[in-house]
Each structure stands twice: as structure tokens, then as C-alpha cells.
Amino acid sequence: MINPMQQVVIAVRKRDSEAVITALQDAGVLHLRPITGGPLSTGSLAGQDAQSRREDERLLARAESTIAELGAYRPAPAPLPAQGEWERVVEDAAGPVSTLARQRQDLQADLDAEAAYGDAVRALARLAGGLDRSRRLAVVPFLLQPSDNLADLDAALASALPERYALATETVGVNRVGLIATLRGDRDAARGALGRVRLGELRLPGRLDGMPLSEAAAELERVRTGGAERSRRLTEDRDRLAQAHGPLLFAVRDALKDRVAIHDVRAVSARGKYSLAMQGYVPADRVPALTGALGGFGDAVSYEFHPVDEHHDAAVPVQLKNNGYVRPFQVVMGLMSLPKYGTFDPTWVVAVFFPLFFGIIIADVGYGLLFLLFGLWLGGKARRNEGWDLSFFGAYVPPATLRNLSFVTNVMAAWSILWGVITGELFGTLGEHLHLFYVDPNLVNNLWGWTGIRAEAHAGEEHYGLIPTLFPRLETEYFSNVALVFALLFGILQVLWGWGIRIQQGIKHRDATHTWEGLALFGGVLALICMAFATQAGKDFGQFTNFANPLILVMYLGFALFLVGWIRVIRHFPLLPIELLSQGGAVVSYARIFAVGLVSAILAKLCSDVGWSMYERIGFLGIILGIVLGVLLHSFVLALTLIGHIVQPLRLHMVEFLNPTGFNAETSPAYNPLRRLSPTSGAGK
């Protein structure tokens, strides 16, 4: 659910403003909203306030850059020194850290140069044979690709420098390096010849540029042999600096952020000569924390609460407040925008239906157990307060997020295992081969015969095992239509539900346009659904006159509601009939649950059948080969289809369900309260 908010206005004497803002930071509940216009000053600070802000921001930037150069993770907290010591603490760390950073940068540049040019430069130094140190002669090095023609270069040189040059090449890896030796006065002519055949002189980067080839080769050799050790020593020096300066540096950085936040609060407030006014929002259940923080200032502070205008105020922030089961699924909702304040929070719907849809699609005990192991692994890392470094994606998942992901994964795994038992699938048909699951035609007919299907035993098949299959989706000869309609029932539920929410929100916000739009499309979609069932998907249009059929009556009532609603909103939505057809397609989109799941099941069946056939044909050796082949095939299939199994249920919620509710059309800012980073109030004063 969306946590209810209260609007608050706070007025304070200017000389007490810093203490009051600090108290608000300690409370950590007030979401500020800028004040613009009016008789008091708003916006950018001026005078001494602006100067103080610049100084604090300069020192904060210095601290931030030093921490970045140290590469230090947050250490154990350290006591915050007095405010007069902050600049000394930062500069004591910044000096040696910046020097070390330059050394590391220079070494890395040398290592990169050695990796890119080392072999080529050493080969060129051998070709030069000391000519690179000559006072009369000049050497021009160059690189040749395999497709370059050396004869063209030789002809260009002969034309530009007849009998006044020497040319030599040597193969290095897949390419060649070459050297032109000529008189110093002819160097530019040699470079021009290179240009005419679309070759260029080799120029070394950084400090190596301009060095004689023999010196550059010696430098790169020293980097090659001693660079790794030098890098290790510099890393050790950085770690020592991080241990020595990190705790105090982080403490001062956090305190500086708090001071800059005070300046930010002043900048978004209304300021007079002797007073300052702030406005913002606070969750209704955190109002006591705010009043407690301000109560100690007596008549130095005046504040007043007002109900928020959820109909017209677009700045009201949103904080989601859900129970213990739903809360972890907010990590899934993080893929979407926040709902608009005063509307519908779909997190609990996602928490119920997303893992259910995933379980129906996977519906395999074996795959479900694999997901369960993965979820338990994530939970173990979270309990050890370890993050997950996904450096190949450029991401790092903190322990708190891992805890939520573990819970979500375990719920998805539980539904997969449950539906795997219902569909009788264990790594495809491995459970059937082991006679753990079996299809009993009589049981299937008793359960699903009312739908018109008829399951019959095939000659030569053995129907026995431990657990009977209740939902045999792999029996495509007779069960596909049942599985398809079962998936579409979720579409009927969610699409109608979405338009029902649209109606409810329109009534709540006294928005007649959206109310009638919702009524029209709710009635129209319901009419299309009734028509599809009554006519058996268009096979019997004679049912249109069968008024004894309640589906036909509901169909006509639904179309009538659509027409009335369309007439009421035709000025705003003239193409509503086209939208109705689109919404009918949205219901059909839920066939993805059936289709994607069936494809997954068929692929898993093929993997297990191939592995089992190895056992039947070869015997004991076939068991080993079958297991290896089955594991490889199942791993490949799961890796190939897993993203689709997750994306399809998400898409059904993001598009088919949430579009009718208006969720994707409007959003509100996230609740981001003013908070203190440094550990103690008033430290350093």
C-alpha cells in the first residue's frame, strides 16, 4: 500500500535555523518541497551563506575525490573530530593519496604501453641496430597490416629518396613492423612516402614519445619485468593509506554532506531577514517523530500540519508500506515507476501473481529445486552480510537486496515445484521414466471430462507410478485446449480487474472522463469474453439470438455499457472501439503462460528422452552418457529460456494489467527524507 502523507509547514528564527535543520536530519522523516515565489527570498543563497556553502562543497569534493582514489569501502566508524580539524584531516589524506594516485596512473600507462607496443618496439630496436642514436641519420618506424603491400612503400620511397634510404621489416605476431633509415634532412620526405601508401609513422604514447627506440625498448623491458611488483607495492601503499586515513575521512565526508544538506535546505526554503520557512511532507505514522524533534525548541519553532491534496498536488512523495511477504517484491517493482500518490499500489498483486505465473510456466520439480538452491545461496550471502559482485555487468548487489532476491527466488521455486508435481514433470519426463509420476487416463477424464476432452490409454503404454498427474500439459493431443483456456482465465481476471481499478480511481478522484472510460472498456471487454465463450470462439454465431443463454444477455449488456460510456467520452477518446479490440488482444496475450510453458516442457522432455534413450540402448555405460548428455542439454535449455520465463510474467503485469489502471501514465516522486549521515548530532561544533 501507499503510506499516507501529511503536509507540514515549519517557520523558525533564522539564528536557530541550523539547529532546527540538524534536528530534522536526526529525525529523518521530513521530505522537503521547494518554496518558490512569494515575498521572501527563495532559490540560490547569497552573501555569507553562499560563501559558506562554497567552502563546504569544495572540502566535500576534496574528501570525495580522495576516497575515490583510495578505492576504500566504508571502514568501521570513527569519532568525528572537531569542525576546525576537518580541513586538516582531509588535506593530510589528500596529499599522499593524490601523489600515490599519480604514480599508479603513470605505472598503468606504462603497463598499457608495454602490452600494446612492447614486442613491436623491441623488434624495431633490433632493426635499428643503434642507428636511432645517430646524429646524421634518422629512423622512421611504422606498422604493417597483413593486407599492406611492402612493394608499394618501396616504390614510393625510391621515387622520393632515390638511393638515399634503407628499408627493413620484421614479423611480430600477426603483423609486421618496419623501419626506414635515411638522412635527417630527408625524414619528412620518408614520412610523406608513408602517407602516399596510406601508412603512418609509429608514435609511442606518453613519456616514451620522442625517445630513441633502444631507450624506449629498455624502458618497456623494465616495465615488463618489474611492473607487476611495482603495482603490488603501490597497492599495498594505498591499502595502508586507506587504513590510516579512511575512518576519519569517511566521518568527515559524512559530516560535510550533512552541512551541505543544511545549505540545500536553506536554498529550498523561504528566507527573510530574521526568519526561515520550510514546507514538506511526512508519513502520517512518522508525525510523532517530527513533533518530537521540534518540540525541544519551544516557541522558537512554529509548525502546522495539513491534509495533502492527492487530486491535484503532483509533488506528494510516495513511500510503499507493505507486509513482510509483499515487501521483498518491491525489488521487482523497482523495474517500474512508482505509482502516483493516492492511486493503486500493485506490489501485492505482483507478489501474488508473478511467482504464480512463473511457476505455471516452469512447472518442473527439478528446475524448481535448482531455483531453490540458488535462492538459498543468495540468502546465505545476505546472512553473512556479503554482497554479490557482478563486475562483468558493472554492478554490485548489496546484502539487503540479496535478501529480498533470495525471498522472491524461493517463492518462485516453491510455485515451480508445486506446479511440477501437478503437471508430473521432473526435468521433463525423467519422473515418468522413473515411474515417480504417471498419467492415469481415467483420473484425467474424471477431473477434466466436463470440458469435453477424452483421454485414452495408448496401446503398449504402462500407466503406473507413485504420483498421478493432475494437469498433463504435455498430452497435447487432447489437453492443449484446456491448458490454453486455463491461461486465458488469468487474462480475463487481470484485464477486467485493471479496468475495475480504473473505475474505482475515477470515482475516488471525481474524474468523470476516466470513470466512463473505465466503465466502457470494462463492459466492452466483458462482452467480448462472453461472446467468445457463447459462440465457442466464433464457431456458432447462431447463439446471438439465444437469449436463454446468460452469456448472451451479459454480452449485450456489456456492449450497451460500452456504447454509453463511449458516447460520454467520445470527445476525449474518439478511437475507443479500436482500444476495445486492443484490450481483447490483451486478454489473449495471457496465452503466453500456456505457450511459453509448453515450449519449455517440450524442450525439457526432449532432453530427458535423449538421455534416457542412451541408457536403453547401451546399458550401464548409457546411464553415465545419458546423465552427462541430459545435464548438458537441460543446462543449455534452461539458460536459453530462463530470461523469457521471467520477462513474460513481468510483461503481463506491466502492460496488460497495469495499463488499464493508469499506472503507467502517471507517477510521483519517491519519498526521500532529509537524513543525517554523520553519527552524532551537533558533533564538531
Side-chain angles (χ1 to χ4, degrees):
M1 62 172 286
I2 298 174
N3 204 8
M5 292 283 170
Q6 286 279 302
Q7 188 171 11
V8 61
V9 178
I10 303 170
V12 59
R13 289 184 302 214
K14 197 167 186 180
R15 68 172 182 265
D16 298 321
S17 61
E18 183 168 347
V20 171
I21 296 171
T22 300
L24 292 174
Q25 287 177 319
D26 290 336
V29 297
L30 178 64
H31 176 103
L32 285 165
R33 177 182 177 180
I35 297 177
T36 57
L40 300 180
S41 298
T42 58
S44 300
L45 300 177
Q48 184 58 40
D49 290 339
Q51 179 63 28
S52 177
R53 177 174 187 162
R54 284 193 294 270
E55 289 297 321
D56 288 337
E57 287 180 337
R58 179 196 62 79
L59 193 57
L60 174 60
R62 183 76 160 154
E64 291 276 23
S65 63
T66 302
I67 289 173
E69 289 172 346
L70 279 176
Y73 291 104
R74 179 177 289 275
L80 180 65
Q83 184 175 333
E85 297 292 313
W86 291 359
E87 184 161 6
R88 180 191 60 78
V89 169
V90 173
E91 293 302 330
D92 284 352
V97 168
S98 60
T99 300
L100 182 64
R102 284 193 297 272
Q103 293 174 352
R104 287 172 55 85
Q105 185 178 9
D106 292 343
L107 175 60
Q108 188 59 51
D110 286 347
L111 289 171
D112 293 341
E114 201 286 323
Y117 300 101
D119 292 339
V121 171
R122 283 186 282 274
L124 288 168
R126 289 193 298 272
L127 289 175
L131 292 179
D132 55 315
R133 295 178 177 276
S134 172
R135 295 181 178 180
R136 297 183 58 200
L137 299 177
V139 293
V140 181
F142 60 91
L143 292 178
L144 283 166
Q145 302 294 329
S147 58
D148 293 329
N149 191 341
L150 186 62
D152 293 341
L153 175 60
D154 198 16
L157 288 169
S159 174
L161 301 169
E163 299 182 359
R164 299 200 308 277
Y165 73 94
L167 178 64
T169 64
E170 182 177 323
T171 300
V172 178
V174 297
N175 298 316
R176 286 178 294 170
V177 295
L179 197 69
I180 302 169
T182 185
L183 296 173
R184 281 190 175 272
D186 292 332
R187 177 186 292 172
D188 291 339
R191 290 170 175 166
L194 281 172
R196 283 193 293 276
V197 295
R198 297 183 180 180
L199 295 174
E201 182 182 5
L202 175 64
R203 301 295 299 268
L204 297 179
R207 66 186 184 89
L208 301 175
D209 188 26
M211 277 190 185
L213 289 172
S214 55
E215 290 185 18
E219 283 293 321
L220 291 177
E221 182 64 21
R222 281 194 290 272
V223 171
R224 187 179 70 84
T225 56
E229 176 62 22
R230 174 66 174 156
S231 178
R232 184 188 65 78
R233 289 199 302 270
L234 290 176
T235 300
E236 290 177 351
D237 291 343
R238 186 185 66 172
D239 292 342
R240 283 193 292 270
L241 286 173
Q243 292 173 1
H245 297 284
L248 280 179
L249 199 57
F250 271 96
V252 170
R253 190 280 305 269
D254 291 346
L256 285 167
K257 280 191 171 183
D258 289 335
R259 284 194 57 78
V260 170
I262 291 174
H263 299 306
D264 291 339
V265 172
R266 287 172 172 157
V268 300
S269 303
R271 305 179 302 278
K273 185 174 182 181
Y274 302 108
S275 62
L276 181 143
M278 297 169 272
Q279 69 174 354
Y281 304 92
V282 61
D285 56 357
R286 302 305 303 277
V287 167
L290 181 64
T291 57
L294 298 177
F297 293 95
D299 60 1
V301 175
S302 178
Y303 56 90
E304 189 175 74
F305 293 97
H306 302 277
V308 298
D309 183 1
E310 64 182 37
H311 305 295
H312 305 100
D313 189 351
V316 182
V318 165
Q319 181 191 41
L320 301 182
K321 184 180 180 182
N322 293 296
N323 60 39
Y325 171 79
V326 176
R327 193 178 305 115
F329 285 87
Q330 291 176 190
V331 71
V332 179
M333 288 297 297
L335 301 173
M336 313 178 200
S337 59
L338 285 169
K340 187 178 185 302
Y341 184 83
T343 60
F344 171 69
D345 174 19
T347 309
W348 73 270
V349 179
V350 173
V352 171
F353 287 97
F354 168 68
L356 172 62
F357 290 173
F358 179 84
I360 295 173
I361 290 173
I362 293 290
D364 190 291
V365 175
Y367 289 166
L369 290 173
L370 293 178
F371 282 109
L372 182 61
L373 290 174
F374 179 63
L376 294 175
W377 177 76
L378 292 177
K381 290 182 74 68
R383 283 191 297 274
R384 295 189 298 272
N385 201 34
E386 297 177 4
W388 190 11
D389 184 11
L390 299 173
S391 53
F392 49 92
F393 288 132
Y396 173 79
V397 185
T401 304
L402 283 185
R403 190 173 296 107
N404 291 333
L405 286 175
S406 170
F407 182 86
V408 172
T409 304
N410 289 340
V411 176
M412 294 162 63
W415 277 113
S416 301
I417 293 170
L418 175 60
W419 273 97
V421 173
I422 294 173
T423 59
E425 295 175 30
L426 171 68
F427 292 117
T429 52
L430 180 60
E432 287 189 23
H433 290 306
L434 297 174
H435 295 290
L436 175 63
F437 298 110
Y438 71 102
V439 177
D440 182 351
N442 293 326
L443 176 62
V444 172
N445 290 328
N446 289 334
L447 286 174
W448 301 102
W450 59 274
T451 64
I453 69 166
R454 183 68 185 173
E456 295 183 1
H458 298 289
E461 284 191 2
E462 301 180 25
H463 298 284
Y464 71 92
L466 183 62
I467 303 173
T469 297
L470 305 180
F471 194 86
R473 64 175 178 175
L474 279 170
E475 301 297 322
T476 54
E477 294 180 7
Y478 58 83
F479 203 75
S480 289
N481 286 340
V482 175
L484 174 60
V485 173
F486 176 75
L488 292 178
L489 290 177
F490 290 107
I492 295 170
L493 170 65
Q494 288 206 335
V495 173
L496 289 177
W497 188 4
W499 286 113
I501 292 171
R502 185 71 154 184
I503 297 168
Q504 180 264 333
Q505 291 294 316
I507 295 172
K508 176 182 177 182
H509 293 284
R510 298 185 291 277
D511 187 336
T513 300
H514 284 152
T515 301
W516 281 107
E517 178 201 14
L519 286 169
L521 287 172
F522 183 92
V525 172
L526 181 61
L528 290 177
I529 293 167
C530 291
M531 183 175 68
F533 278 102
T535 63
Q536 299 181 37
K539 294 180 181 178
D540 184 10
F541 287 112
Q543 288 292 319
F544 282 166
T545 58
N546 182 12
F547 294 101
N549 187 342
L551 291 176
I552 295 298
L553 294 177
V554 175
M555 180 191 75
Y556 283 120
L557 287 174
F559 280 133
L561 181 59
F562 172 77
L563 287 174
V564 172
W566 184 32
I567 291 170
R568 295 295 299 266
V569 299
I570 193 169
R571 184 166 60 90
H572 301 283
F573 304 107
L575 300 180
L576 206 61
I578 297 176
E579 178 63 23
L580 174 60
L581 297 178
S582 173
Q583 289 304 306
V587 174
V588 177
S589 288
Y590 282 76
R592 301 166 190 267
I593 299 174
F594 158 73
V596 175
L598 182 60
V599 169
S600 172
I602 291 174
L603 290 174
K605 175 182 184 298
L606 291 174
C607 294
S608 291
D609 287 351
V610 168
W612 192 264
S613 67
M614 299 293 291
Y615 154 68
E616 291 181 330
R617 292 175 180 273
I618 305 177
F620 178 77
L621 179 60
I623 295 176
I624 299 174
L625 294 176
I627 290 174
V628 172
L629 185 60
V631 168
L632 291 175
L633 290 175
H634 277 292
S635 300
F636 175 74
V637 167
L638 189 60
L640 189 66
T641 60
L642 179 59
I643 293 178
H645 298 341
I646 296 173
V647 168
Q648 293 301 338
L650 281 176
R651 184 195 182 280
L652 292 175
H653 285 87
M654 290 182 179
V655 180
E656 275 71 18
F657 173 61
L658 289 179
N659 269 350
T661 69
F663 177 91
N664 294 320
E666 297 178 297
T667 186
S668 286
Y671 172 63
N672 184 25
L674 180 67
R675 287 194 178 100
R676 168 170 288 280
L677 293 177
S678 51
T680 56
S681 173
K685 292 184 181 180

